[in-house]
Amino acid sequence: MKTSLSCYTIWKRIPKLFPRYSRYLSSPIAAQYEAVIQGQDPLPEYFNFASDVLDKWTQIEKDGKRSSIPALWWVNGRGAEVRWSFEEMGLHSRKVANILIDRCGLRKGDRILVVLSRIPEWWLVIMACIRTGIVAIPATSQVSAKDIEYRLKASGAKCLITTEALRSTVDSVAPQCASLKTKLLVSSDGKQEGWLNFDELLREAPANHTCVKTKMNDPMLVYFTSGTTGAPKMVEHSQGSLGFRPIICQRYERNSLEIPVKIHHSEFIIRSANGRAKLTLSQFPITAFLSTPTLFRILLREDLTSFKFKSLQYCISGGEPISLEVVEEWKNKTGLDIYQLYGQTETGSICSVSKEMKIKPGTMGKALFPYDVQIVDQEANILPPGKEGEIAVRIKPERPLGFFTQYIDAPQKMAATTRGDFFLTGDRGVMDEDGYFRFIGRTDDIIKSSGYRIGPFEVESVLLKHPAVAEVAAVSSPDPVRGEVVKAFVVLSTDYATHNKEKLTTELQEHVKRMTAPYKYPRKVEFVQQLPKSQTGKIQRNELRDQEFGRV
């Protein structure tokens, strides 16, 4: 069970967690790459996860070695359930591949914006894109019209797929997006003008499809990630970084915590955590539970005494720091430890606590193979244990497998994150004598709330469009449930100086919700006479942030 999954993690298996799947690790798939895993052969020139992994596991099933555990098992808490074998997953994804090519006119290298929550169709579209070499751009279903328009224009995506909930939103911006040629709608309600019905096409599409040949460095996915300044940047990952890395790293990570096949609709978990998520954990054979600290905090606010998590063995937290209080309370109420993962959109997981490692409270584990993670100073010199600095990953002389390829159309961003032989994560931390890392905080002003990365520039830009706002600074502020939330310090324009502050707060919050994704709105608003600034007039968000966290 997981609130957000990279496409390859659905199928990763480790014998100690899933004994019935141990045959796959000794199958021709693993044997094919054994020499690479041992470092005897170089990485292959060509790789495609759909043909080289999924289709081969499908053949294993056909040869009579089928396991009772499905490739994908999805529930939504309302009684809906989907269970697909590897063969069924392959069949459906080939049909979707034909839809993208024959009905949407897409070709290898074209881009599609995938605005779907984690419903089963999400995995089919991602896998179909891998089969065809089409580049998928996943986006949260909470995006606003402005977000969709920006992503379409910046990426040049020729196709978009979404659900009925966002159909009118997409239609409102589509005329301004010249690259957009085709719109797919996941809906069983029939035809909508200007849209292709995904469900109908899936029923009619042929099941035969020949997977394209893709090189290790061919683009596979593009993520939009928020930055301190400016609009979100496009982070490109390759077929090798998201598809091949789990295979070559298996030997080195067999004691690491892994993700099961059980998927619960992520939005439904968050909105219905007062019982439904607990029922899912107790009723289904879920062995590992990976989520952001937010969901752990929400669950701890409920009565857990009547629920028995019979199959649950491992709980993993990622996306943002988790407090010691949450870890201790979870242990007391469930008897289970919470292991931590650390990574970024650009890097994937680079640190973790494996199930056989000692848990050190407040740390996020050790560096994962193949990453060389270090704490460095401003000149990229490696700092000794116990010395605070910036968390960095060595990228020279060779860029590690699993790393992102580039920030598309943002060479300045690429240059700013590289210093010496290292990629700078933008996070500060400390490494102890045993190689465990501890997160200190951001070097920039990114706000991490409930697993979302929120750039202050995005929030401030929207607020400045309201006539009441003369100046504004958005920073992170501590929150007992979400870890951090957005807080806006607002200097009012003269005409609004005497307005009711409570009503004005609500008005500004609703304004942000309308203009951008709802999760970005400031849950806290404070009206001030002036903002702290440098001699050059730059707003010093760090002073406001330190004030919020009691560091002044």
Side-chain angles (χ1 to χ4, degrees):
M1 176 177 177
K2 188 178 186 297
T3 59
S4 179
L5 291 177
S6 297
C7 60
Y8 68 78
T9 58
I10 310 170
W11 298 278
K12 289 172 68 179
R13 299 291 183 270
I14 296 299
K16 291 185 178 180
L17 288 182
F18 309 105
R20 284 176 288 181
Y21 267 78
S22 60
R23 63 172 64 96
Y24 290 121
L25 293 179
S26 59
S27 72
I29 300 169
Q32 180 179 354
Y33 300 110
E34 185 66 20
V36 176
I37 293 172
Q38 292 182 352
Q40 298 172 354
D41 287 349
L43 293 173
E45 181 181 3
Y46 291 91
F47 177 80
N48 186 285
F49 184 85
S51 62
D52 293 335
V53 179
L54 175 58
D55 289 351
K56 290 185 179 180
W57 283 3
T58 297
Q59 189 59 50
I60 290 174
E61 287 186 333
K62 290 182 177 179
D63 291 341
K65 299 178 181 179
R66 184 171 184 170
S67 171
S68 61
I69 299 179
L72 178 73
W73 188 355
W74 178 93
V75 298
N76 71 352
R78 303 184 183 93
E81 185 172 328
V82 171
R83 295 180 64 163
W84 285 331
S85 66
F86 290 101
E87 182 178 357
E88 291 169 325
M89 191 77 190
L91 171 70
H92 296 319
S93 65
R94 287 192 294 272
K95 290 167 72 73
V96 177
N98 287 321
I99 293 173
L100 298 180
I101 294 172
D102 298 336
R103 300 305 301 271
C104 300
L106 300 178
R107 295 295 181 266
K108 181 181 178 181
D110 289 340
R111 296 171 182 166
I112 176 174
L113 186 60
V114 184
V115 192
L116 298 173
S117 58
R118 293 305 184 264
I119 56 178
E121 290 82 358
W122 188 91
W123 280 276
L124 295 184
V125 172
I126 297 298
M127 190 54 58
C129 287
I130 296 174
R131 288 189 181 282
T132 56
I134 295 166
V135 181
I137 307 173
T140 172
S141 57
Q142 294 192 52
V143 289
S144 67
K146 179 182 176 182
D147 294 326
I148 293 173
E149 181 178 359
Y150 170 74
R151 282 157 174 75
L152 286 171
K153 288 181 176 179
S155 68
K158 296 181 179 180
C159 183
L160 177 147
I161 181 169
T162 191
T163 61
E164 180 64 34
L166 283 171
R167 178 176 60 83
S168 59
T169 303
V170 173
D171 283 339
S172 69
V173 300
Q176 288 78 49
C177 304
S179 66
L180 184 62
K181 304 301 181 184
T182 311
K183 297 178 292 183
L184 279 170
L185 191 66
V186 178
S187 172
S188 58
D189 297 334
K191 296 182 179 180
Q192 295 288 347
E193 185 178 355
W195 291 80
L196 297 177
N197 188 294
F198 179 85
D199 303 76
E200 291 182 359
L201 294 177
L202 185 61
R203 288 192 293 268
E204 301 168 356
N208 296 322
H209 177 266
T210 301
C211 190
V212 301
K213 290 190 67 175
T214 54
K215 292 187 175 182
M216 291 280 284
N217 290 327
D218 283 349
M220 175 175 155
L221 290 175
V222 170
Y223 294 100
F224 278 82
T225 184
S226 296
T228 308
T229 59
K233 304 297 188 294
M234 290 184 284
V235 177
E236 180 185 88
H237 275 278
S238 68
Q239 297 284 342
S241 66
L242 290 184
F244 191 78
R245 185 194 171 203
I247 295 176
I248 195 172
C249 297
Q250 262 180 1
R251 175 177 295 276
Y252 298 92
E253 297 179 10
R254 288 192 180 186
N255 290 327
S256 297
L257 297 171
E258 300 301 327
I259 311 305
V261 295
K262 184 71 169 144
I263 313 299
H264 192 303
H265 192 318
S266 57
E267 291 181 37
F268 194 77
I269 291 178
I270 298 297
R271 296 173 184 172
S272 309
N274 57 342
R276 298 294 178 88
K278 292 181 293 186
L279 284 170
T280 302
L281 286 171
S282 61
Q283 291 181 348
F284 293 92
I286 298 170
T287 55
F289 172 42
L290 171 57
S291 184
T292 62
T294 298
L295 185 51
F296 285 105
R297 288 189 289 264
I298 291 175
L299 288 171
L300 285 172
R301 296 172 68 179
E302 306 296 331
D303 181 18
L304 297 177
T305 57
S306 60
F307 290 87
K308 301 296 182 182
F309 305 145
K310 298 177 182 179
S311 300
L312 190 59
Q313 301 174 42
Y314 307 107
C315 301
I316 309 105
S317 173
E320 61 187 71
I322 189 168
S323 68
L324 292 177
E325 292 76 15
V326 172
V327 173
E328 292 172 357
E329 188 177 356
W330 185 263
K331 174 75 170 181
N332 291 334
K333 290 187 175 182
T334 67
L336 296 167
D337 293 306
I338 296 179
Y339 298 83
Q340 292 196 56
L341 288 175
Y342 168 76
Q344 295 185 328
T345 303
E346 292 87 339
T347 65
S349 296
I350 60 175
C351 292
S352 77
V353 180
S354 72
K355 60 186 178 65
E356 293 187 352
M357 283 171 55
K358 174 184 177 181
I359 295 179
K360 288 190 175 184
T363 70
M364 53 195 187
K366 299 181 180 181
L368 283 170
F369 176 86
Y371 294 120
D372 178 6
V373 184
Q374 299 288 345
I375 303 296
V376 302
D377 62 16
Q378 292 185 347
E379 284 73 42
N381 298 309
I382 298 176
L383 295 173
K387 187 74 171 179
E388 179 182 333
E390 188 160 356
I391 302 172
V393 183
R394 190 182 299 277
I395 57 174
K396 296 177 182 179
E398 293 184 1
R399 204 171 181 85
L401 183 67
F403 227 66
F404 78 114
T405 308
Q406 62 171 325
Y407 291 109
I408 298 175
D409 299 329
Q412 292 181 338
K413 176 69 172 177
M414 286 291 290
T417 56
T418 303
R419 188 179 303 151
D421 293 342
F422 292 93
F423 169 81
L424 307 178
T425 64
D427 290 333
R428 296 188 66 78
V430 173
M431 183 178 69
D432 68 15
E433 294 283 354
D434 297 321
Y436 284 75
F437 289 85
R438 181 165 59 89
F439 179 85
I440 300 297
R442 290 290 299 173
T443 59
D444 58 22
D445 301 310
I446 288 294
I447 304 162
K448 300 184 74 173
S449 180
S450 298
Y452 290 105
R453 285 169 52 91
I454 304 170
F457 178 82
E458 300 173 78
V459 180
E460 293 165 359
S461 296
V462 172
L463 284 170
L464 286 170
K465 293 180 179 180
H466 193 284
V469 180
E471 288 186 298
V472 61
V475 302
S476 62
S477 180
D479 181 83
V481 174
R482 295 173 176 83
E484 298 179 10
V485 294
V486 179
K487 178 171 181 177
F489 289 85
V490 176
V491 177
L492 290 173
S493 59
T494 305
D495 293 342
Y496 284 79
T498 59
H499 276 54
N500 181 284
K501 300 301 188 293
E502 184 176 345
K503 291 183 178 179
L504 196 52
T505 294
T506 302
E507 185 177 335
L508 292 176
Q509 290 172 330
E510 292 302 316
H511 170 74
V512 175
K513 289 181 184 179
R514 289 193 303 270
M515 296 290 289
T516 188
Y519 65 85
K520 297 178 184 178
Y521 85 93
R523 294 177 182 271
K524 300 178 182 179
V525 176
E526 181 176 336
F527 298 99
V528 296
Q529 294 299 313
Q530 61 183 9
L531 298 173
K533 298 178 181 178
S534 66
Q535 291 183 349
T536 59
K538 182 179 179 181
I539 296 176
Q540 296 180 308
R541 297 192 190 95
N542 61 308
E543 291 189 14
L544 297 171
R545 187 171 59 247
D546 288 344
Q547 172 185 312
E548 288 300 296
F549 284 85
R551 295 193 288 255
V552 293

